[in-house]
Each structure stands twice: as C-alpha cells, then as structure tokens.
Amino acid sequence: MTDSEPVKKYEPEKTHKRKFSLQNVKKGVILKYSYKSKMGMIPGNPGKVNQDSYIAVSNIAGNPNLHFYAVCDGHGFFGRDVSTFIKKVLPQILENDRNLQTNPRKALNNAILRVSQELAYSDIDINFSGTTLISVLIKGTTMWCANVGDSRALIARQVIDPNKPENTGRHWMSIALSRDHKPDEPDESQRIMQCGGRIEAYQDDQGNPLGPARVWLRQQDLPGLAMSRSIGDAVANSVGVIPEPEILEFQLKPEDKFIVLGSDGVFEFITNEEAVKIVVPYWKMDDVEGACAGLEKEANLRWTKEEEVIDDITSVVLFLDVHK
C-alpha cells in the first residue's frame, strides 16, 4: 500500500521534502492530519539524502475507524533504503494480518516483526544500516503506540479546571506514548550484555566518555549504534539489538486534542512539553500544516545553535475530535 491509496488525489511529488494535510475530512477520531519531512545538513557532504520516511494510512482494510501513522528514522549508509522499505511494506503486512480487526495489538506486533524479517531477506545491505519506527494504530477511541528505537510519540491533553472555568483551555499536559530505547537503559543494557555485546560511549584522548552510550561487539569497535532497538542493523542484532516493538495501549478521551510523532531530529533538543507548546497555537487556529512547519522551524533552529550538523527532521501531527 502506498500513501496515495487513502486519498489518491493528494499524492505529493516523489521526494522526501514532503508536506501534506487531510483537510475537513473526518476519519473517526482523526479530525485532520499533516506530515512534513526536511532533509538535514552535514558540512562537506553535498550528496546527503533524507533518510527519514513517514507513513499515513487512513481507513485500513476499508474500516473508517482504523488508521495507522508512523515515522521511520533511517541510519547508516543504506538508511534511506531501509526506511523506504518499511514505508512501502509495513502497511501491506498490517492490512493483511488476520488479527487486525479482532486483536489490533497482536496484528501490529506481528506486522513489525514480519517486516523486519522481510527486510533481512531483501537486497538491502543491513549489516550497518537500519531504522527506528514510531507508530500509532487507532481503532475507534483505542490507540496502540508501537516503538522501536529512539523516535518519539506524545499526546497533548487539555486540562480542564472545573473550579476556574475562565481558565479552561489554558493548561495542557504532555503524555509520553513511548520511551527512547537507549543502550544504557537498565533492561536494555542487561539484554545486550547477555547477548555478548558491549556498551560504551566514544572516548577522547584521555579516555573520558563523549556523547551517548553505544552498542559494540565484545572484541571489536563496531557497530557503535546509539540505540538498543532497531529494524535492520544485522551486526548490532547479533549482540542483542532487537526489532521487537514496545507497545502501549491508550484510551483516548475528549480532552486529548492532538498527537505528535517525530524522529529524533525533532526531539533531540525539544522536550515533549515544549513540543506541545509549539503546536497549541496552531491547534487553536485549526492549522495542522502550520503545526508541522512550526515543529520543523524550531527543531532546525535548535540544531543550528547546538551542533555543526542538522539531522533530518520529520513529524506527523494528528488533530483529534474524541467523543465520549
């Protein structure tokens, strides 16, 4: 399934510089959505490509109350090939899973593990290339968020104070739907160590740690992956980096107003709470495209201030209309 199938007439050009919104078409609890992806920058590398991909599929298997959205953040030399493979193949597998209508959680888990297997049998060299996956599957008012890696999802809840009606709508809560899969998380590091891996950061000339914890083979200084779960990354997989998703089930409420999914290009220097503050003004204006553009602009600004490089920046924003 391609992203053109749900709304064919809005198919964008075949480029990773994409911007899309579904305006004024109610899809269950999804009022409208938008996604945007911007290529990053590496000095001295004019041939850099955008390794991020997104997935947006409404009305899966013809069900008007079943929707799937995701962001993939590819890495390694063939990272773009990997994330594009997931974008193309995962929705097809999910739609054809026999458990989708009766047990969506199981279908989502099965689909992610199966697409990982199909990737391994593809022609793509995944020894040192892979992708994250952050996704939400929504059926009615129930949502399952499946995460592999360090991309992120959150939901923004409007806090209603019954004792101060004049303040209604002024306070917001950010609810994390995922956790970042990092090698130094206790449960993640235990698995990697048990599988024969080693966890260390880069070191300077004096042996002091530089940057995040990374996964290495026990006796070799590779691959140096800075996450504990991914799809692909065959060498890292041999020492406990797994494609198994962590799935959170969430019951949507009327106070839940929007969802943000993003690559770490968005969240490297923006907290979940800051992401909510960025999007709220656009939510109030009913401008879902502006919400994605606002996240991209702020993320790009912070990368420019903090680093010489800029990561690829990709987000999917969903505006919600949940009834009791």
Side-chain angles (χ1 to χ4, degrees):
M1 178 179 294
T2 67
D3 51 288
S4 65
E5 290 185 5
V7 201
K8 292 183 178 179
K9 63 182 180 180
Y10 292 111
E11 172 65 2
E13 67 273 16
K14 301 298 182 180
T15 172
H16 281 258
K17 296 179 180 179
R18 301 180 183 183
K19 182 176 180 180
F20 174 90
S21 69
L22 177 62
Q23 296 286 349
N24 303 320
V25 182
K26 187 71 161 55
K27 301 288 185 182
V29 299
I30 308 299
L31 185 62
K32 57 176 66 173
Y33 66 87
S34 182
Y35 44 75
K36 200 169 191 298
S37 188
K38 176 181 174 62
M39 185 177 70
M41 183 275 296
I42 300 178
N45 183 9
K48 175 182 165 31
V49 298
N50 189 345
Q51 295 183 303
D52 289 357
S53 293
Y54 61 84
I55 301 171
V57 184
S58 299
N59 305 340
I60 302 176
N63 186 337
N65 292 307
L66 191 59
H67 318 286
F68 182 63
Y69 306 93
V71 168
C72 302
D73 182 354
H75 52 261
F77 190 82
F78 299 104
R80 177 174 179 169
D81 297 324
V82 175
S83 72
T84 301
F85 181 92
I86 303 305
K87 174 184 175 70
K88 291 179 178 178
V89 178
L90 179 57
Q92 298 175 6
I93 296 175
L94 181 61
E95 182 170 5
N96 292 322
D97 192 288
R98 63 182 181 180
N99 299 291
L100 181 59
Q101 303 295 341
T102 57
N103 191 340
R105 182 192 183 108
K106 183 177 181 180
L108 183 57
N109 185 78
N110 290 348
I112 293 171
L113 294 178
R114 183 177 163 191
V115 78
S116 175
Q117 293 174 344
E118 294 201 8
L119 174 66
Y121 289 114
S122 74
D123 294 331
I124 302 171
D125 182 350
I126 60 168
N127 282 318
F128 300 102
S129 298
T131 187
T132 69
L133 173 72
I134 185 70
S135 64
V136 291
L137 177 63
I138 301 173
K139 183 180 183 182
T141 58
T142 304
M143 175 174 63
W144 296 266
C145 179
N147 182 42
V148 182
D150 60 0
S151 294
R152 193 177 294 181
L154 64 87
I155 194 163
R157 177 169 291 176
Q158 196 173 33
V159 180
I160 307 299
D161 187 348
N163 298 318
K164 297 180 179 180
E166 69 277 6
N167 291 332
T168 296
R170 295 179 59 184
H171 301 286
W172 292 80
M173 178 189 303
S174 169
I175 302 174
L177 298 175
S178 63
R179 65 161 177 158
D180 297 347
H181 290 137
K182 297 296 188 181
D184 50 2
E185 287 286 315
D187 57 333
E188 301 292 289
S189 63
Q190 181 180 13
R191 183 188 65 250
I192 291 167
M193 298 295 287
Q194 289 175 345
C195 291
R198 173 168 55 95
I199 300 171
E200 292 179 0
Y202 287 132
Q203 297 180 353
D204 63 17
D205 294 338
Q206 287 72 45
N208 299 311
L210 292 173
R214 297 176 181 273
V215 179
W216 310 89
L217 300 182
R218 184 67 54 85
Q219 303 297 335
Q220 300 181 62
D221 289 336
L222 53 87
L225 190 65
M227 64 190 74
S228 56
R229 302 192 192 198
S230 73
I231 300 174
D233 293 298
V235 173
N237 179 255
S238 72
V239 289
V241 174
I242 59 174
E244 181 178 345
E246 198 165 35
I247 300 179
L248 172 71
E249 182 173 333
F250 190 91
Q251 196 65 38
L252 295 169
K253 298 182 178 181
E255 296 81 31
D256 299 327
K257 300 303 182 182
F258 59 85
I259 296 168
V260 177
L261 295 87
S263 63
D264 70 344
V266 174
F267 288 108
E268 182 71 21
F269 302 111
I270 294 177
T271 66
N272 288 6
E273 291 73 21
E274 288 173 327
V276 170
K277 290 180 180 179
I278 292 168
V279 173
V280 163
Y282 298 100
W283 175 83
K284 290 180 178 179
M285 295 185 293
D286 199 30
D287 182 5
V288 69
E289 288 186 349
C292 286
L295 286 168
E296 179 199 288
K297 181 179 179 180
E298 184 62 28
N300 189 79
L301 177 63
R302 297 195 186 191
W303 274 98
T304 302
K305 289 182 178 179
E306 298 288 340
E307 300 282 352
E308 293 182 358
V309 302
I310 300 174
D311 200 0
D312 302 327
I313 299 170
T314 301
S315 65
V316 176
V317 178
L318 315 172
F319 283 3
L320 305 176
D321 184 18
V322 183
H323 298 284
K324 292 183 179 179

